[in-house]
Amino acid sequence: MAVDSILSSPLGPPACEKDAKKLQFIEEMTRYADSVQERVLAEILSTNSHTEYIKNFNFDGAVDRETFKSKIPIVTYEDLQPLIQRIANGDRSPILSAHPVSEFLTSSGTSAGERKLMPTIKEELDRRQLLYSLLMPVMNLYVKGLDKGKGLYFLFVKSETKTPGGLLARPVLTSYYKSDHFKTRPYDPYNVYTSPNEAILCADSFQSMYTQMLCGLYEREQVLRVGAVFASGLLRAIRFLQLNWPQLAQDIQTGSLNPKVTDPAIRECMTEVLRPDPDLAEFIAKECAKENWEGIITRIWPNTKYLDVIVTGAMAQYIPTLDYYSGGLPKACTMYASSECYFGLNLNPMCKPSEVSYTIMPNMAYFEFLPHEPNSVGVARDSPPQLVDLVDVEIGKEYELVITTYAGLYRYKVGDILRVTGFHNSAPQFHFVRRKNVLLSIDSDKTDEAELQTAVENASILLRDFNASVVEYTSYADTKTIPGHYVIYWELLVKDLTNSPSNDVLNQCCLAMEESLNSVYRQCRVADNSIGPLEIRVVKNGTFEELMDYAISRGASINQYKVPRCVSFTPIMELLDSRVVSTHFSPSPPQWTPERRR
């Protein structure tokens, strides 16, 4: 379709002819969402008809929705784990996918304390790249002139390991950054980064961050947008600048590179960036030496038009801090994706964070939706729940996302709860409500109630020598510190006050809790430094009774009251903090290695 015919589309006038084609693609996919979904399911089923999984259900070559829905069960990761483990152990037969599994993508969600392993195929990289290619054409509708400057994005690879069968296992973004799709991407004036590939691909988080920050400072006038994947990652970069600006300014002053940056590829590529710039060094030192860091992003990078970070779901807790450091710059949430599948994009990326809705792209996978009743936990059902197709969801209702992918997941429950906010053409738009069952989250970690309970129980063992125990507990994710950290409130029963647990023992309780948490949490603590030491705050005896009295005074039923295992309501936090008698922190990081526990 010609560029001028796009001008009348709901998405608006494109910035260039290439953008016009991408916007037209979005229009076509969303206008014919149901037929696209029908085609996607047929492609998945016909391609994978001879896999072990599909053959188990006696499909006889059928590719229609009715047969699919009547024969294929809804599953969780635990249901598929034995098959996935066979692939991980080296079984190369077509178990889930007709295409060979190229690697495993490690999910931030965990099973039995370890990252979930999501099998993927090489063709999925093309689908991910396609969704990435749609982001800037949409952004260019809202922010003009992005081809006149650069993006300062703090992007990182994380550690990877190999399964017993020799397949790589790594996070989805690490897989993407190490792929040719990213490393040899064609030049696009609307998508130029200040960070060199060599810095992004360096596995040492200090060297990577240092180099990316240094490049961003050198090109401060060219930076038009500042971003990271998650809001927590951008705040970590600001904290890094607070801690390291003297050395960064020194490097700019002399045109040399910090000797702590030893990576040969970085040192070689930085020879083209480094130059003595005393004026810039003086400016950086002057701004960073000020006690007040309010608006530091726009002070250092004055032409920044917006922040590109995820601030939905658990990341919403960082919005006030981002506003403080950026002077209230717009925060763009551009896409919705996971290790299992890339789902869709935000067609109004400059909206308020509370109004972010993602439009599902129907070509990415086959999507179904399990109606979610927030208050129906434990309610018996007469019949199994009926899943709803993509185009049949209803505005205002909440659903749990269920996907069938080209890589071999069939009717798989992702665990995301979404609320329908509207439609673009016939494709629904969803507000991300939350991850199912997640209690605490600071970065990419996700800790549920059962895990927290186990951690408290394991830490409590250290109290036995003192004839003491944990009477009650609750928690919250403290994001006022950078990095954020878990805070656990404990009310203790100490039977012999002359033999109460010491400060050192309670510090060790903090560490024991951390040792009990999942591998994603421990990696964030040890390798990524994106979570700070866990804190236990011991409160006065009777505090949790006061908490119950407060809840009842606000209308809670005394018969149905349960201690909340996570709190965020300000009056409750204030009550708890006013009763704190001692605070304790982990004395050292927990144990973590890239290798999975056997």
Side-chain angles (χ1 to χ4, degrees):
M1 187 176 281
V3 176
D4 56 0
S5 64
I6 282 280
L7 299 179
S8 60
S9 85
L11 291 173
C16 60
E17 189 173 351
K18 189 172 110 179
D19 280 12
K21 291 177 181 176
K22 296 296 184 182
L23 297 177
Q24 180 60 20
F25 177 78
I26 293 171
E27 285 296 288
E28 288 176 358
M29 289 296 107
T30 56
R31 186 175 295 129
Y32 306 110
D34 197 46
S35 59
V36 171
Q37 280 282 275
E38 200 164 21
R39 172 178 59 77
V40 165
L41 181 61
E43 288 174 358
I44 292 171
L45 294 178
S46 60
T47 301
N48 297 317
S49 60
H50 297 297
T51 59
E52 178 182 324
Y53 191 81
I54 293 294
K55 284 201 291 190
N56 279 341
F57 299 106
N58 301 315
F59 253 64
D60 298 325
V63 296
D64 61 286
R65 291 179 184 179
E66 290 70 26
T67 307
F68 172 73
K69 292 186 176 192
S70 65
K71 295 199 172 188
I72 300 287
I74 303 164
V75 295
T76 64
Y77 181 80
E78 284 68 30
D79 296 322
L80 299 179
Q81 197 164 16
L83 298 176
I84 289 172
Q85 196 59 53
R86 278 174 51 199
I87 300 169
N89 289 343
D91 190 333
R92 295 291 180 264
S93 64
I95 297 173
L96 293 169
S97 170
H99 294 286
V101 171
S102 55
E103 62 182 316
F104 285 101
L105 303 177
T106 54
S107 167
S108 56
T110 57
S111 178
E114 291 293 329
R115 286 179 181 268
K116 295 174 182 176
L117 290 174
M118 294 298 166
T120 192
I121 56 178
K122 282 184 179 174
E123 290 79 359
E124 277 297 288
L125 270 171
D126 297 329
R127 257 179 288 279
R128 288 183 214 124
Q129 181 60 42
L130 174 59
L131 193 63
Y132 281 125
S133 75
L134 304 177
L135 303 183
M136 286 312 295
V138 173
M139 184 59 75
N140 291 337
L141 297 173
Y142 293 87
V143 183
K144 307 303 179 187
L146 291 174
D147 57 332
K148 305 296 190 289
K150 298 184 178 184
L152 169 53
Y153 282 77
F154 296 97
L155 307 175
F156 303 93
V157 296
K158 295 195 176 183
S159 60
E160 56 188 45
T161 186
K162 284 196 171 181
T163 66
L167 287 171
L168 278 172
R170 54 192 181 181
V172 62
L173 289 175
T174 298
S175 170
Y176 176 66
Y177 298 148
K178 289 190 171 185
S179 73
D180 288 339
H181 286 74
F182 181 80
K183 291 191 293 184
T184 61
R185 60 195 183 278
Y187 174 77
D188 178 356
Y190 291 94
N191 219 351
V192 180
Y193 299 148
T194 57
S195 298
N197 284 358
E198 291 82 355
I200 294 169
L201 295 172
C202 176
D204 184 288
S205 60
F206 174 86
Q207 294 183 61
S208 177
M209 177 78 86
Y210 191 94
T211 308
Q212 293 188 58
M213 184 66 75
L214 185 59
C215 292
L217 293 173
Y218 265 118
E219 302 200 65
R220 61 179 289 266
E221 298 286 354
Q222 284 76 48
V223 170
L224 301 182
R225 51 206 171 104
V226 176
V229 178
F230 293 115
S232 55
L234 183 53
L235 291 175
R236 201 157 72 250
I238 298 301
R239 179 62 178 160
F240 186 91
L241 181 61
Q242 284 182 318
L243 295 173
N244 294 281
W245 67 261
Q247 181 63 51
L248 288 158
Q250 175 68 21
D251 285 4
I252 294 170
Q253 171 86 25
T254 59
S256 57
L257 185 58
N258 185 341
K260 288 183 181 176
V261 179
T262 58
D263 185 277
I266 288 181
R267 294 199 73 88
E268 183 179 346
C269 81
M270 287 300 287
T271 58
E272 297 181 17
V273 177
L274 292 166
R275 64 184 186 279
D277 192 334
D279 292 341
L280 176 58
E282 183 183 357
F283 170 80
I284 298 297
K286 181 181 174 185
E287 286 298 325
C288 293
K290 292 176 181 176
E291 193 171 324
N292 181 5
W293 270 51
E294 186 171 1
I296 192 68
I297 291 175
T298 46
R299 281 156 48 189
I300 299 288
W301 297 283
N303 299 315
T304 308
K305 297 173 183 280
Y306 66 92
L307 306 180
D308 191 343
V309 284
I310 294 172
V311 286
T312 51
M315 291 295 130
Q317 61 195 334
Y318 295 105
I319 291 171
T321 315
L322 284 174
D323 284 340
Y324 175 81
Y325 285 123
S326 73
L329 280 175
K331 289 160 285 294
C333 296
T334 56
M335 67 183 289
Y336 172 38
S338 76
S339 303
E340 296 92 336
C341 178
Y342 279 26
F343 305 120
L345 71 166
N346 183 0
L347 295 180
N348 183 16
M350 299 303 279
C351 67
K352 295 177 183 176
S354 60
E355 297 171 359
V356 170
S357 289
Y358 300 103
T359 302
I360 300 291
M361 288 298 291
N363 58 304
M364 299 303 293
Y366 183 68
F367 299 102
E368 296 175 276
F369 298 87
L370 182 62
H372 176 70
E373 304 292 341
N375 301 315
S376 66
V377 178
V379 177
R381 290 183 179 272
D382 295 329
S383 59
Q386 294 299 305
L387 269 66
V388 178
D389 283 330
L390 181 69
V391 300
D392 295 328
V393 295
E394 297 179 44
I395 292 176
K397 290 195 174 180
E398 291 186 6
Y399 299 88
E400 182 176 354
L401 180 59
V402 177
I403 59 170
T404 298
T405 69
Y406 286 90
L409 297 176
Y410 306 93
R411 307 196 91 186
Y412 176 87
K413 293 169 75 171
V414 174
D416 289 358
I417 306 299
L418 309 174
R419 183 186 307 117
V420 187
T421 57
F423 284 81
H424 180 75
N425 295 322
S426 61
Q429 299 174 306
F430 292 94
H431 173 72
F432 180 89
V433 178
R434 60 182 172 83
R435 286 285 297 176
K436 200 174 181 184
N437 301 326
V438 171
L439 206 64
L440 292 169
S441 180
I442 293 288
D443 190 54
S444 58
D445 54 304
K446 297 176 177 66
T447 297
D448 64 25
E449 187 169 334
E451 228 175 349
L452 185 63
Q453 173 73 29
T454 300
V456 170
E457 289 171 357
N458 288 346
S460 300
I461 294 169
L462 299 178
L463 303 177
R464 288 179 185 170
D465 289 347
F466 304 89
N467 204 11
S469 59
V470 178
V471 178
E472 274 298 1
Y473 70 91
T474 190
S475 65
Y476 88 101
D478 184 356
T479 56
K480 292 186 177 67
T481 60
I482 302 176
H485 69 293
Y486 288 10
V487 174
I488 318 296
Y489 294 96
W490 274 12
E491 184 174 321
L492 298 179
L493 175 61
V494 180
K495 294 182 179 174
D496 180 1
L497 294 178
T498 63
N499 185 35
S500 56
S502 66
N503 183 61
D504 285 346
V505 168
L506 288 165
N507 288 345
Q508 288 299 322
C509 286
C510 296
L511 180 57
M513 283 196 69
E514 292 198 299
E515 294 283 8
S516 302
L517 294 174
N518 63 63
S519 65
V520 179
Y521 174 90
R522 288 180 284 112
Q523 179 177 350
C524 288
R525 272 281 281 129
V526 176
D528 304 338
N529 298 311
S530 57
I531 299 178
L534 183 143
E535 177 183 3
I536 290 176
R537 296 179 187 174
V538 178
V539 296
K540 292 179 184 175
N541 288 101
T543 296
F544 280 84
E545 282 189 34
E546 290 185 63
L547 206 61
M548 181 176 73
D549 291 341
Y550 178 79
I552 291 168
S553 74
R554 288 177 54 84
S557 164
I558 191 166
N559 295 319
Q560 294 177 303
Y561 176 78
K562 288 196 305 184
V563 174
R565 292 307 180 207
C566 182
V567 295
S568 57
F569 187 48
T570 302
I572 290 179
M573 312 274 290
E574 289 173 348
L575 189 157
L576 287 165
D577 281 330
S578 70
R579 304 295 189 270
V580 171
V581 294
S582 62
T583 59
H584 312 273
F585 291 88
S586 282
S588 60
Q591 294 294 311
W592 176 82
T593 62
E595 287 71 38
R596 299 170 67 81
R597 288 173 174 171
R598 297 285 178 246

